[in-house]
């Protein structure tokens, strides 16, 4: 199965803000630009899956209208990581000791008392297992950088703790509105 992973457009948040699970909006001009670009490159007639957070859901809804015969499914397992009390805080305002504690224990630490990377890996893997059982030739998934990193590493089918660590340690270079193709 070929997965075309799409990162949502740039959200309306101040640069340097932690906004994982927060449901932030996208500026209309950012949404229009991403929609136009993706409409021209994504295949029609394949199922679309999306995080229900509006920065993904809005784009997915628009693309489902643009791409004939595309089915649209929202799945909470595709949401970005929940950073608890860190959500919507400037990264520089989060205690250095807390960030250091997370860096020491990337898989198991709960940043801001929220979700840990391993828990996110478990839910993304469960989504992937369900999707693979559907046996589509191709599917488009509109989600977040953290979700894309996990789906990319899950391709190797390593134990989930290793998957979580590899995804957390990978350098994040996924631009807003960018696509990453992964074959399973």
């Amino acid at each position: 199965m070929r997965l075309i992973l799409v990162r949502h457009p740039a959200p309306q948040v101040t640069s340097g803000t932690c906004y994982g699970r927060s449901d932030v909006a996208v500026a209309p001009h950012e949404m229009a630009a991403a929609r136009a670009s993706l409409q021209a490159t994504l295949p029609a007639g394949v199922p679309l899956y999306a995080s229900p957070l509006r920065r993904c859901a809005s784009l997915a809804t628009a693309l489902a209208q643009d791409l004939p015969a595309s089915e649209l499914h929202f799945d909470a397992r595709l949401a970005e990581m929940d950073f608890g009390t860190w959500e919507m805080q400037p990264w520089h305002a989060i205690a250095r000791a807390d960030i250091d504690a997370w860096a020491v224990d990337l898989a198991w630490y709960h940043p801001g008392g929220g979700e840990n990377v391993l828990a996110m890996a478990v839910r993304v893997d469960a989504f992937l297992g369900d999707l693979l059982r559907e046996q589509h030739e191709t599917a488009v998934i509109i989600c977040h950088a953290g979700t894309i990193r996990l789906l990319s590493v899950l391709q190797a089918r390593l134990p989930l703790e290793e998957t979580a660590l590899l995804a957390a340690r990978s350098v994040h270079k996924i631009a807003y509105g960018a696509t990453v193709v992964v074959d399973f």
Side-chain angles (χ1 to χ4, degrees), residues 9 26-39 58-59 62-63 66:
V26 171
H29 71 280
E30 294 282 350
M31 186 62 67
R35 181 179 183 180
S37 172
L38 292 165
Q39 177 183 353
S58 297
L59 179 59
L63 289 172
D66 297 339

Side-chain angles (χ1 to χ4, degrees), residues 52-78:
L53 297 178
R54 69 182 147 157
R55 59 191 183 265
C56 297
S58 297
L59 179 59
T61 300
L63 289 172
Q65 295 169 359
D66 297 339
L67 303 171
S70 294
E71 302 171 35
L72 176 57
H73 309 274
F74 296 104
D75 196 310
R77 296 174 294 181
L78 295 171

Side-chain angles (χ1 to χ4, degrees), residues 150-173:
L150 280 166
L151 286 166
S152 296
V153 174
L154 281 166
Q155 181 184 35
R157 303 313 297 163
L158 300 169
L160 284 179
E161 187 170 358
E162 279 184 62
T163 296
L165 287 171
L166 280 172
R169 290 179 180 145
S170 68
V171 178
H172 169 7
K173 295 182 180 178

Side-chain angles (χ1 to χ4, degrees), residues 90-178:
W91 282 103
H92 67 79
I94 298 167
R96 184 75 220 174
D98 291 341
I99 292 174
D100 290 344
W102 184 27
V104 168
D105 191 9
L106 286 172
W108 291 94
Y109 185 79
H110 292 266
E115 182 177 33
N116 65 31
V117 179
L118 182 57
M120 184 178 176
V122 167
R123 69 176 161 81
V124 172
D125 184 58
F127 165 82
L128 179 61
D130 289 346
L131 180 62
L132 291 174
R133 280 188 284 286
E134 293 178 19
Q135 298 184 350
H136 302 289
E137 186 175 317
T138 302
V140 173
I141 301 174
I142 300 164
C143 55
H144 312 271
T147 310
I148 292 171
R149 288 162 52 190
L150 280 166
L151 286 166
S152 296
V153 174
L154 281 166
Q155 181 184 35
R157 303 313 297 163
L158 300 169
L160 284 179
E161 187 170 358
E162 279 184 62
T163 296
L165 287 171
L166 280 172
R169 290 179 180 145
S170 68
V171 178
H172 169 7
K173 295 182 180 178
I174 307 163
Y176 293 112

